[in-house]
Amino acid sequence: MDFRLTEDQQQFDRAFGDFVDTEILPNGYAVDHSDDFPHANYKKLAAFGYNGLTHEEQYGGTQVDGITSLIAQEHLARACASTFLSAGACVGLFGHPLAMFGSEEMKSEIIPGLVDGSLIGAWALTEAHCGTDSAAMKTTARKTDTGWVLNGSKMFITNGHCADWILVMAKSDPSRGHAGISNFLVKKGTPGLSASKPLEKMGLRGSPTAALYFEDCEIPDAWLVGEPGMGFVQAMKTLESGRIGMAAFGVGIAQAALDEALAYTKQREAFGKPIIKFQAVHFKIADMKVLVDGARILARRVAWLHEQGQASQAQYSAAKLFATEAAVKCTDLSVQVHGGYGYMSEYRVERLYRDARLGPIGEGTSEIQRRIIAQETQALFA
């Protein structure tokens, strides 16, 4: 891999970075103090073209290369992690499996709305009693003469209460474990579908999270995504790009924490000089810089390998694991550098600290990433 960005990638880096600094970053405090979907930011992203970066031209997208897409995600996470999460749930976690496995009718009807920002999507995998262990899900899909009937519930669903379309994983054949899981589209307003109000969270408060309930929710055959029993395989493919996205999430937040620390230490004085002059601060800045650079390299490596079809599961996991844990470490260091002010909500690092903590939990915990990495590493030396 050549780590130098092409001229086009450099131009995009500058243009999108300037865009988020002007149009997204200033709204961060207001978004954090709302439990609603960040509609204004989502529309701005769509107008810039962000929503279409990973979708085909025939559906209104531009489908750029993997590194360019990663650059965009890093910048958005740096500017507003809540907007990153909700937009990613729409165009990524919901949009990517639809693009990969959905029928032409599904894609033609829904993807253009994701790209232009007129539709909101959600992906419903997690349940209250299980996350990583998807085979333990209890939501079922019973076949009927005309379609399917869903019963069950989902938990921690990003955009769940406001999504126009939801991609729902359910057991269509409970006797077959992972091989008996299927994916279904459910449209907002379908009888039997209901949602909780947005759940109160530590961080990412501007990205609404809700519980979903399905009670004899009837859907037509046409809303089955792909073949019956292929839901788990579809989910694993979705999580590959999702873990690249979470690596970008970590890089963006870690970079923001470093930026805030540098700005603060240059203007804050103690004992007659800026605190950037003190060795204790030097070391914190150095540690943050190493974490940011390491996370970015791992993220860009796996994004490039993914595009070549050469990435292993351990490489997806390594990027996600390192970058999200780097974000937690960097935000902690940045809060420490800020001292008492870092604990105040008027300072951005307080929000970054809260937002970063989702990274080692969401889309596969740090523990499951370590398990994947260890299993693949052990196999190499078996």
Side-chain angles (χ1 to χ4, degrees):
M1 176 183 175
D2 187 345
F3 286 92
R4 294 171 297 180
L5 299 180
T6 66
E7 185 175 340
D8 286 346
Q9 289 167 342
Q10 291 177 45
Q11 290 177 353
F12 179 86
D13 187 15
R14 290 190 294 268
F16 194 71
D18 290 344
F19 163 76
V20 298
D21 286 344
T22 302
E23 300 293 338
I24 305 297
L25 180 59
N27 304 325
Y29 183 88
V31 169
D32 185 58
H33 285 72
S34 169
D35 60 3
D36 193 14
F37 181 86
H39 293 280
N41 282 354
Y42 187 56
K43 284 287 189 180
K44 289 177 181 179
L45 290 169
F48 186 93
Y50 176 87
N51 294 10
L53 291 177
T54 56
H55 289 289
E56 297 177 3
E57 291 184 14
Q58 68 188 92
Y59 306 116
T62 53
Q63 204 166 38
V64 297
D65 64 272
I67 299 298
T68 299
S69 176
L70 185 71
I71 289 169
Q73 292 180 79
E74 288 178 12
H75 275 306
L76 182 56
R78 173 180 61 78
C80 181
S82 286
T83 300
F84 169 91
L85 196 67
S86 271
C90 292
V91 301
L93 291 179
F94 173 78
H96 287 170
L98 187 63
M100 287 188 289
F101 308 109
S103 67
E104 184 56 40
E105 290 74 18
M106 290 176 181
K107 292 187 282 189
S108 297
E109 179 178 356
I110 298 173
I111 293 178
L114 299 176
V115 172
D116 68 20
S118 61
L119 289 179
I120 297 172
W123 186 41
L125 165 62
T126 302
E127 299 186 2
H129 66 285
C130 69
T132 300
D133 185 10
S134 58
M137 71 173 61
K138 296 179 180 178
T139 300
T140 60
R142 177 174 55 84
K143 187 72 180 73
T144 67
D145 292 339
T146 58
W148 301 82
V149 177
L150 299 183
N151 279 286
S153 63
K154 298 291 181 177
M155 180 57 78
F156 308 135
I157 307 306
T158 301
N159 305 339
H161 80 297
C162 60
D164 297 291
W165 287 93
I166 305 165
L167 187 62
V168 181
M169 293 187 67
K171 284 189 172 180
S172 53
D173 186 348
S175 68
R176 299 188 63 201
H178 288 120
I181 297 172
S182 301
N183 267 326
F184 302 88
L185 283 175
V186 181
K187 192 174 185 179
K188 184 178 183 178
T190 300
L193 167 65
S194 60
S196 71
K197 66 179 182 179
L199 305 171
E200 294 186 9
K201 300 183 295 184
M202 174 193 293
L204 297 158
R205 295 173 179 172
S207 174
T209 303
L212 297 174
Y213 308 97
F214 306 90
E215 186 175 356
D216 293 331
C217 183
E218 297 185 24
I219 60 172
D221 265 324
W223 289 1
L224 170 68
V225 179
E227 297 297 321
M230 293 301 294
F232 181 76
V233 173
Q234 294 172 8
M236 292 303 99
K237 295 300 293 183
T238 300
L239 285 172
E240 289 177 357
S241 57
R243 285 171 181 164
I244 296 174
M246 286 305 292
F249 170 90
V251 173
I253 292 179
Q255 181 67 63
L258 174 57
D259 292 344
E260 292 295 312
L262 284 170
Y264 181 78
T265 57
K266 288 177 182 177
Q267 57 89 22
R268 176 75 164 93
E269 291 191 356
F271 305 103
K273 58 184 177 181
I275 64 172
I276 190 69
K277 301 292 185 180
F278 294 102
Q279 188 180 62
V281 174
H282 289 170
F283 289 170
K284 289 180 175 62
I285 297 297
D287 287 346
M288 293 168 71
K289 176 61 173 171
V290 170
L291 288 168
V292 170
D293 285 357
R296 180 170 287 122
I297 288 170
L298 282 173
R300 293 189 180 182
R301 179 187 73 162
V302 77
W304 184 83
L305 289 170
H306 175 79
E307 193 169 47
Q308 311 305 311
Q310 298 175 4
S312 71
Q313 291 303 311
Q315 288 166 333
Y316 292 111
S317 291
K320 193 270 183 186
L321 171 69
F322 188 89
T324 55
E325 293 196 348
V328 172
K329 293 173 184 175
C330 285
T331 55
D332 182 66
L333 288 168
S334 192
V335 167
Q336 190 69 22
V337 164
H338 280 73
Y341 290 110
Y343 205 67
M344 300 295 107
S345 62
E346 66 183 281
Y347 278 74
R348 187 178 169 218
V349 291
E350 184 268 347
R351 181 172 78 249
L352 294 172
Y353 185 84
R354 291 185 285 104
D355 289 349
R357 196 59 189 83
L358 175 72
I361 300 171
E363 293 192 42
T365 62
S366 287
E367 289 75 18
I368 196 63
Q369 308 310 327
R370 286 185 166 89
R371 179 182 177 185
I372 292 169
I373 294 165
Q375 287 177 332
E376 188 169 304
T377 303
Q378 291 168 2
L380 292 175
F381 298 98

